[in-house]
Amino acid sequence: MFSRVRPLALGLLLLAQGAWSAVEFDPVAVERWADEFFEPRVAAGVYNGASIGVVQDGETILLKGYGFEDQRRAIPLDPAATMIRMCSVSKTFAATALLQLRDRGLIASLDDPVNRYLKRYRLPPPHGDQVTLRQLMTHSSGMAGHFTPQGTKLDIPAPVAAGVVADLFRENIERPPGAIGQYANLGVALESVVIEDVSGQSMAAYVKEHIIAPLGMTAAFMHHATLPPPRLAQPYGRFPNGELQPVPFYPKHPLTAASGGIIAPPRDMLTYAAFLAASDAASDADDEALHHAAVLSSASRREMQRRQFGNHPADAGIGLHFYPQIWGSERYVQHGCGLPGTQSQLGVFPDSNAGLVISIIRGSINPSVLDLVGALVGVGRMVPAESAPPPPEFEQNNPYRAFLETFVGPRRSPAAPSEAVGGAVDDVVGRYWTERRSMRSFAAVFAAGSVIEIGRDAEGRLVRGDVELRRVGPGVYDLSDGRRYLFRAQAETGHVYLHTGPSSAFRKVSGLGDPGRAGQLALLGIVVSLSAFGSLLWSGVGTAKRWLRRNGLFMSALQLAIPVAAFAGYTGIADIAYIDAFNGAIGRLVFVVVLLNLFALSGLGFVLGVVPAWRAELAPGWRSLCWRCHISLLAIAAVLTWPALLLFNLLGVNT
């Protein structure tokens, strides 16, 4: 271990700028912190494994692994050899590739329309020709992409055919480009199409040849095969009884690999971090500086890390697939990510020529129906083992935040503007539904639970759950847990938005436009309409009764068939994500939508049959009265399900 003294000239330069200070990472202190943070969490089963790498001025401060590459097989995590999925950090490779193509003159400007560089596909009207490369890279293109298939069960050659590209971009542009920033993997997939069409290589081949290999990253690559590579870290979920359950692997589609396909050992990622953090003031005689400049100019590296777009002046904004932040008096630019069982963050300290890479391996359990039933009677994997004490509680399980707060200081938010931005928002109380969804297809249903509710507690304070919102400026609220919420009204549409970050937008909803309210009505309607099985007890024959009985029984049978069709054959309750949603296999989902349309039609038929049935059976007596009340209740129940079906675009044919 050793210490270093930063050149006096650089220190004077920073003092002259007066804005930022430089941090020195002491190897001994960093390793001591890492041991104290990761070792007890691995021992307690909070993590299966973890790695941390810190680099400064091109020198490795720390590179260390903890726990296991594969816990069940007792294979330790080796930061030089264990492969880890870098998920959304892969987006920074796409940004590097596009800037590299611009440095080489193959792309004239990031503000050019995307369609200028596309050969296999063109974004359609009305907004297609307006979308720029920069907007794709800042998630402000107007794409939704919530249900973009991230994987595939097929071995698809790359570059993919034009038809495959067109099929992936069925949802197109949801809103005017530049209106709001909303995270969209679909936009990154289109970036990879641009890179391939301009370079003539597949995305994986281009990144390997022009970024990974020149930087000396010996094992990293962009993965989109159907099988996992050797030595890939295996996450496990841990049942309460201590049993480990492996998290399934799902492959990446060749087009979505740009948004999450990089797989690399921590050592390679630290090499990449050193490249991103390299000093701009290096001497021309510095071989490493020349080496980095051959991959990407220092001007392009810094452009990638600067704020390029934000939903609001009071958010820190987004660069070109990097998120700038301020911790203590230090600028920190990062991209974090998460896939089932794996979380990582790559960060750069531009003023200290330092980089940070942390990955953790851990999974969530996926209990089966039998597991859940067994837990009710006190048996099975969901019951804690008496011999195994519960793991200790840790106040801080976020390693990235813990590292930054320890060595740099607390996170700081940008100053709140003194005047309202984008329209005054006086009343922020309400429910907000994420814009990260398709607004024109049944994919909207996959964002049904993405609702934020802002209310008031008994003392009149603004709260989200038990977290208080404190107003620090017009439309700007800091949360008691350190986050910031930003509210603004969009003049063009009149919509009120809540922004939780520079690429996150939630629109205020109410009434039947609120997925929660519509869902509650639908659930009530479903429960009530199940009583249609009671039509078997109706007395009398009559044409109207036969019609209603058949429709009611068909409607109730469909209610039972729909969940069976949606979940039959899955081992655990979360397998739909691993098996279908992530892999783009929508055949089952389309079948469920067809059943829902039949359900809506049967309900409509029931509603249309109620009036003639009333007229046909006006006999006195309590039996006739009960029957009329029952069919009226069933008609109302059918109607209660329609708002949700309409809101989630589950009626008719939607792509």
Side-chain angles (χ1 to χ4, degrees), residues 363-522:
S364 300
I365 60 170
N366 182 18
S368 67
V369 174
L370 290 178
D371 288 324
L372 298 175
V373 172
L376 295 176
V377 296
V379 298
R381 298 184 293 181
M382 296 294 290
V383 179
E386 294 182 3
S387 59
E393 295 295 330
F394 295 102
E395 292 184 2
Q396 178 57 271
N397 276 318
N398 185 324
Y400 325 109
R401 176 178 290 274
F403 178 91
L404 292 166
E405 288 179 343
T406 300
F407 291 100
V408 185
R411 184 172 178 177
R412 292 165 47 197
S413 296
S418 58
E419 297 181 358
V421 175
V425 180
D426 298 322
D427 183 11
V428 301
V429 172
R431 290 167 60 85
Y432 299 80
W433 190 18
T434 179
E435 287 280 88
R436 192 183 177 191
R437 66 186 192 276
S438 169
M439 294 180 281
R440 291 180 285 182
S441 81
F442 66 80
V445 75
F446 292 93
S450 302
V451 174
I452 291 177
E453 183 169 6
I454 307 298
R456 292 189 182 276
D457 62 12
E459 299 178 6
R461 296 175 300 182
L462 283 173
V463 293
R464 179 190 177 184
D466 58 356
V467 179
E468 182 183 357
L469 281 70
R470 304 187 184 97
R471 186 180 184 277
V472 295
V476 182
Y477 293 80
D478 284 348
L479 279 64
S480 55
D481 62 4
R483 292 175 293 168
R484 170 167 283 186
Y485 281 180
L486 305 161
F487 298 86
R488 68 182 178 94
Q490 194 174 63
E492 297 82 1
T493 63
H495 296 313
V496 174
Y497 284 102
L498 158 61
H499 299 293
T500 61
S503 54
S504 174
F506 293 76
R507 187 197 298 177
K508 194 172 188 178
V509 291
S510 60
L512 296 181
D514 180 340
R517 303 290 184 252
Q520 290 170 352
L521 288 178

Side-chain angles (χ1 to χ4, degrees), residues 68-75 236:
F68 301 95
E69 172 185 308
D70 189 315
Q71 189 168 0
R72 180 175 287 176
R73 297 165 61 195
I75 301 175
Y236 290 93

